[in-house]
Amino acid sequence: MTAVTTLPAPVSTSPTLRQFKEAFRRHPTAIVGGIVLLLMILLALLAPWLGTVDPQAVTPIKRLKQPSAEFWFGTDMLGRDVYSRVVYGARVSLSIGIAVAFFSILVGLSIGLVTGYLRWLDAVVMRVMDGLMSIPPVLLAISLMALTRASIENVIIAITLAEVPRVVRLVRSLVLTLREQPYVEAAVAAGTSLPRILVRHILPNTTAPLLVQGTYICASAMITEAILSFIGAGTPPNIPSWGNIMAEARSLFQIAGYLIFFPGVCLSLTVLAVNLLGDGMRDALDPRLARRM
Amino acid sequence: MTATARRANGTGALLNVEHLTKHYPIRKGVFSRVSGQVHAVDDVSFWVEEGETLGLVGESGCGKSTTGKAVLRLTDVTSGAISWRGQRIDALPAREMRAHRRELQAVFQDPYSSLNPRMRAEDIVAEPIRNFEDRSPAEIRERVASLFERVGLRADQMVKYPYEFSGGQRQRLGIARALAPNPRLIVCDEPVSALDVSVQAQVINLLMDLQDELGLSYLFIAHDLAVVEHISHRVAVMYLGKIVEITDKRTLFANPQHPYTEALLSAVPLPDPKAARKRIILAGDVPSPVNPPAGCRFHTRCPVAQERCRIEAPAMRLTAPGHLVACHLRDGEPVEAP
């Protein structure tokens, strides 16, 4: 057993990382999306240092100013600086998008893994999910918001609940395919227990499609947040979010169109960037996924 | 063959399968009503001795892989008994079955899909060791390294992922995984049919060397008669969910008794192109296992079928010591369980 002393350290790159590098080389749109998204995240993180003032500071004397050197994006009807509000609004929109993506994947993954394996539970849970899916996500989120107080946490919970059924369906379908894979049978034959099979064999093979689904959820959550805020059922009005800024500017649309223009452009750009990134990752990780999602 | 192979039932053998039956329900419609049954395996009995290779041959769809899965408890059986060292394992709860899995391992057909693409080779081979033994990571690595060398892989390949191996190397990995917990019996489900012929021979020889060295038993499932002839001690021939003939290798290839075995053997190409042989061409297709023919399942294609074959299912008969045939046209003492 002399060979044992010369065993190499585990250095081989994982298939996921290798696929990623290869993919981004071949999908320039994904890179563009990634860069735009990165800029937006930097914008949100560095908001206080980007020449902004307090986004909630009211100066009625300077209300409804056109965009100028002093107020880059102009001021609204209460004289608040729209540039500062849009930059701070990126924080709300992005954190809601990312939080919803994270929590709906977490919840959907746990439910999907279990229902994919326990058939008796599967029938019950999937009927509940079908019921949830039959209600349009925005409507479901509105009704959930109507039951609670307006706050960022409640917005996240409401949108997450509306997104979970889609994740459960995806995870369940993946588990149903994966559990029939010969290597899962091999693991059963090798005496591996069910929790370990789920963690070691099923879970790692769901990461790629879930990552892609996560970006779509992130994009759709940001839009849903904007819709909720626009109709006044979302983020509390004192917190600037892109949806809130647009909602307040709605009545002044014809005299101060720039109020709607800047948050609208930011929202569209961010959602587009997230979707481009998601499409690139989907094509990169597994071309066959294109048909499933 | 030893005297043990000449007995008429498998009581006391390492693995004893009696009247194994597996039906898959066919569900139809909105309410998943059961509209029929696929008779994948029907009343199959055989046994495997310590240190012996039993070959299980048949066309695709004849139920040989299902038989292997049932023995491994990867599928539940409809009826019948599977005994491991004299203890029934066919109805054991999953938790108790796990204790037996240590001695009962498997090598699968497809070397690509039977290895998790996201696990390193060493983790794949270490998995059964971790499941059954409480050892330190260093001890496990050492054991994995020696297994790698035993199956003809280099220890420095341990950190690689399955996609970095060739088909033959992957099958060696599969064998290393099966050997890891020191099993007594390995169910080999068509382990070489996905490989090139030259690689097939290497893998078969590796399996035979391991058997000599470790005293392993194999249940070797294959459709390639040449491979089965090379590796097996005894051979069971399956047709449409039933075993039609079972005997030691030499007798089967020299003196087949069942008409289906005769037809199967006559289809094996001879190495000498000038050698003439009477080929028995079977007419028609294998009937559907959803509605298997009444009587002898082979009667629809049998060149010598008689009226009786259409009505009455033939019992297993002991035509010679250790030679069991399920055919009305052969004389012999009927046996309850072969």
Side-chain angles (χ1 to χ4, degrees):
Chain A
M1 288 295 92
T2 49
V4 178
T5 52
T6 58
L7 290 182
V11 282
S12 192
T13 47
S14 81
T16 322
L17 195 71
R18 200 177 49 96
Q19 284 170 333
F20 254 130
K21 286 181 185 161
E22 173 71 12
F24 276 99
R25 204 174 49 74
R26 275 188 289 128
H27 300 276
T29 52
I31 298 179
V32 173
I35 290 170
V36 172
L37 186 64
L38 203 68
L39 285 177
M40 283 294 174
I41 290 172
L42 281 176
L43 196 73
L45 287 176
L46 302 175
W49 297 281
L50 292 172
T52 54
V53 296
D54 180 359
Q56 300 188 37
V58 180
T59 34
I61 200 148
K62 290 179 178 169
R63 67 179 187 273
L64 294 176
K65 297 282 183 208
Q66 294 280 330
S68 64
E70 193 191 354
F71 304 109
W72 293 354
F73 292 178
T75 60
D76 65 7
M77 60 208 191
L78 297 173
R80 293 174 297 194
D81 179 33
V82 175
Y83 168 68
S84 305
R85 290 177 68 74
V86 168
V87 171
Y88 276 96
R91 288 187 161 186
V92 177
S93 292
L94 281 171
S95 51
I96 286 179
I98 291 167
V100 168
F102 178 77
F103 287 118
S104 52
I105 295 248
L106 195 73
V107 175
L109 184 63
S110 327
I111 299 177
L113 278 182
V114 176
T115 52
Y117 250 93
L118 302 177
R119 300 322 302 269
W120 56 270
L121 196 68
D122 183 57
V124 179
V125 173
M126 289 325 286
R127 292 302 81 76
V128 174
M129 294 298 149
D130 287 345
L132 281 176
M133 279 180 105
S134 68
I135 308 169
V138 175
L139 210 58
L140 186 60
I142 289 172
S143 43
L144 285 167
M145 286 307 294
L147 294 173
T148 55
R149 204 168 43 82
S151 74
I152 292 186
E153 293 80 47
N154 284 343
V155 171
I156 292 174
I157 293 170
I159 306 178
T160 302
L161 270 172
E163 294 285 352
V164 159
R166 276 157 67 182
V167 184
V168 172
R169 283 222 157 258
L170 174 69
V171 174
R172 177 177 169 274
S173 78
L174 287 169
V175 172
L176 289 182
T177 341
L178 288 171
R179 62 180 285 179
E180 303 296 327
Q181 286 292 313
Y183 61 79
V184 174
E185 280 196 334
V188 176
T192 308
S193 62
L194 179 59
R196 251 176 145 163
I197 287 177
L198 285 175
V199 173
R200 291 188 63 105
H201 295 278
I202 309 273
L203 194 62
N205 286 293
T206 60
T207 46
L210 278 181
L211 218 57
V212 178
Q213 183 74 11
T215 61
Y216 293 151
I217 290 175
C218 180
S220 108
M222 284 192 288
I223 290 182
T224 310
E225 186 276 334
I227 294 173
L228 289 179
S229 298
F230 192 77
I231 60 170
T235 314
N238 59 324
I239 302 170
S241 82
W242 292 337
N244 273 343
I245 304 170
M246 286 191 276
E248 286 165 10
R250 184 181 45 188
S251 50
L252 301 164
F253 174 62
Q254 288 186 323
I255 51 168
Y258 58 90
L259 286 180
I260 271 187
F261 178 74
F262 291 108
V265 165
C266 282
L267 179 66
S268 314
L269 261 184
T270 314
V271 170
L272 180 68
V274 173
N275 275 325
L276 284 179
L277 187 72
D279 282 346
M281 289 202 309
R282 181 198 61 199
D283 295 347
L285 291 168
D286 189 352
R288 283 166 300 166
L289 277 178
R291 266 174 280 132
R292 202 186 286 173
M293 303 214 293
Chain B
M1 266 287 73
T2 52
T4 48
R6 298 189 187 283
R7 62 187 178 184
N9 72 66
T11 314
L14 190 63
L15 173 75
N16 188 24
V17 175
E18 287 169 291
H19 306 294
L20 175 69
T21 301
K22 174 69 189 177
H23 293 174
Y24 289 100
I26 305 168
R27 293 180 192 280
K28 263 190 191 152
V30 193
F31 300 104
S32 304
R33 217 159 24 83
V34 175
S35 67
Q37 302 276 347
V38 178
H39 299 243
V41 178
D42 235 339
D43 196 11
V44 157
S45 303
F46 60 89
W47 69 92
V48 183
E49 302 282 349
E50 188 98 46
E52 160 187 73
T53 302
L54 176 70
L56 195 56
V57 282
E59 293 167 73
S60 43
C62 72
K64 53 192 193 302
S65 285
T66 306
T67 307
K69 279 188 180 178
V71 167
L72 290 165
R73 283 291 310 278
L74 293 177
T75 181
D76 286 327
V77 304
T78 306
S79 65
I82 302 167
S83 307
W84 173 254
R85 294 187 189 277
Q87 192 197 338
R88 288 279 293 266
I89 59 166
D90 48 276
L92 280 185
R95 197 174 299 250
E96 287 169 50
M97 185 60 209
R98 280 186 56 208
H100 293 284
R101 295 199 182 279
R102 179 170 189 166
E103 296 197 303
L104 192 57
Q105 285 290 310
V107 174
F108 294 87
Q109 172 173 16
D110 185 347
Y112 290 86
S113 59
S114 63
L115 304 174
N116 187 339
R118 296 189 185 269
M119 279 168 80
R120 286 202 181 85
E122 69 169 303
D123 290 322
I124 290 171
V125 176
E127 184 170 354
I129 307 176
R130 292 194 182 119
N131 288 339
F132 294 116
E133 289 169 43
D134 196 17
R135 292 217 239 166
S136 74
E139 284 174 322
I140 290 177
R141 277 206 112 194
E142 202 171 306
R143 169 118 178 90
V144 171
S146 73
L147 282 165
F148 263 59
E149 282 175 16
R150 186 62 206 87
V151 299
L153 295 167
R154 293 191 316 274
D156 63 278
Q157 293 171 317
M158 280 166 58
V159 293
K160 290 188 171 184
Y161 282 90
Y163 68 85
E164 296 173 275
F165 291 92
S166 70
Q169 286 176 323
R170 282 160 165 257
Q171 205 53 296
R172 286 172 193 270
L173 262 183
I175 293 169
R177 168 174 63 189
L179 286 178
N182 292 318
R184 297 315 306 152
L185 177 97
I186 300 180
V187 176
C188 305
D189 187 0
E190 308 230 19
V192 296
S193 44
L195 306 175
D196 286 347
V197 176
S198 58
V199 183
Q200 282 191 2
Q202 295 169 10
V203 172
I204 292 289
N205 288 335
L206 171 64
L207 286 171
M208 292 176 80
D209 290 347
L210 290 169
Q211 182 168 52
D212 287 345
E213 197 177 312
L214 306 167
L216 294 171
S217 306
Y218 294 128
L219 175 60
F220 194 93
I221 299 163
H223 61 258
D224 186 334
L225 286 167
V227 168
V228 168
E229 183 175 14
H230 190 63
I231 194 168
S232 306
H233 298 118
R234 287 188 303 133
V235 180
V237 180
M238 274 187 88
Y239 181 79
L240 210 59
K242 282 195 177 283
I243 289 183
V244 295
E245 183 163 9
I246 179 166
T247 182
D248 64 88
K249 168 179 75 180
R250 221 170 302 256
T251 315
L252 186 92
F253 282 87
N255 183 24
Q257 290 295 308
H258 197 280
Y260 178 64
T261 316
E262 284 175 8
L264 208 59
L265 291 179
S266 81
V268 176
L270 293 175
D272 180 2
K274 291 196 192 96
R277 175 161 61 182
K278 204 181 82 188
R279 285 194 56 181
I280 306 165
I281 310 287
L282 292 179
D285 286 326
V286 182
S288 160
V290 180
N291 289 308
C296 175
R297 296 221 169 155
F298 187 55
H299 81 78
T300 55
R301 303 170 76 197
C302 183
V304 291
Q306 297 174 347
E307 194 50 40
R308 187 184 175 194
C309 305
R310 287 179 242 283
I311 302 155
E312 191 189 337
M316 271 287 182
R317 287 162 204 275
L318 195 62
T319 59
H323 196 161
L324 289 154
V325 184
C327 183
H328 289 306
L329 306 177
R330 299 287 175 260
D331 293 326
E333 176 196 341
V335 285
E336 199 271 321

